[in-house]
Amino acid sequence: MMPPDHDAPEEIAWQGDWITAKTRGRWEYVSRAKGIRAAVILPIDHDHVILVEQYRIPLSSRCLELPAGLVGDGSDNDGESADTAATRELEEETGYHADHWENCGEFFSSPGMVSESFTLLKATGLTKVSEGGGIDGENITVHRVPLANIRSFIAEQRKAGIAIDVKLLLLLGADLLAE
């Protein structure tokens, strides 16, 4: 049986350059404007993972995350694929180039509030080609973290007041499931 608001018409309450606030029956949610979506990268360098940290306005805090970026977010990126966006974002944010990519599928981060999806791409065969740090004042800090220490690294970051992106649960999965 479908929920009662399933057939209600979708209405736009507000739209900006990057997001759209919508209603459907009793539901209020947000989507990306212009069909933009995201590419999220899981960069594995042998027994290390490459993470990024940057200030996020909605959180009023720095946040520890997997590298990521919008697919087709600029006029010169029209028709861009998730693979192309991931290659660009990995190098811009982290300074690494990947020889191998694996598309791990499409995911939704907060489906009760946001309709945005992201494509998760695993990057391996990494080569450091620049310092990274992002573009236009992103001020991204790059962390190369041993996978064996990921749990303690995330705990240290949290204790220091750094927000932790939900996608990092991917790296904590086995530890969280252990009895």
Side-chain angles (χ1 to χ4, degrees), residues 5-45:
D5 295 322
H6 175 265
D7 293 326
E10 182 177 80
E11 297 178 17
I12 295 176
W14 176 85
Q15 183 165 341
D17 291 335
W18 301 103
I19 61 171
T20 304
K22 298 179 178 182
T23 61
R24 184 180 298 250
R26 299 167 293 162
W27 283 86
E28 298 175 344
Y29 56 98
V30 178
S31 69
R32 286 279 184 193
K34 306 172 201 163
I36 292 173
R37 55 195 176 81
V40 176
I41 304 123
L42 175 60
I44 303 295
D45 188 21

Side-chain angles (χ1 to χ4, degrees), residues 79-95:
E80 182 177 50
S81 70
D83 295 6
T84 301
T87 299
R88 174 177 43 82
E89 292 291 342
L90 181 64
E91 289 189 25
E92 286 175 4
E93 292 191 1
T94 70

Side-chain angles (χ1 to χ4, degrees), residues 87-149:
T87 299
R88 174 177 43 82
E89 292 291 342
L90 181 64
E91 289 189 25
E92 286 175 4
E93 292 191 1
T94 70
Y96 283 89
H97 173 81
D99 287 336
H100 307 286
W101 290 92
E102 177 185 346
N103 187 320
C104 300
E106 187 176 13
F107 296 85
F108 298 85
S109 59
S110 187
M113 186 178 85
V114 180
S115 66
E116 177 187 37
S117 68
F118 64 89
T119 302
L120 179 65
L121 296 121
K122 183 177 177 181
T124 56
L126 301 184
T127 303
K128 185 80 167 158
V129 296
S130 74
E131 290 305 307
I135 59 168
D136 298 331
E138 286 181 310
N139 298 317
I140 293 172
T141 301
V142 180
H143 298 279
R144 186 173 183 271
V145 183
L147 287 167
N149 299 344

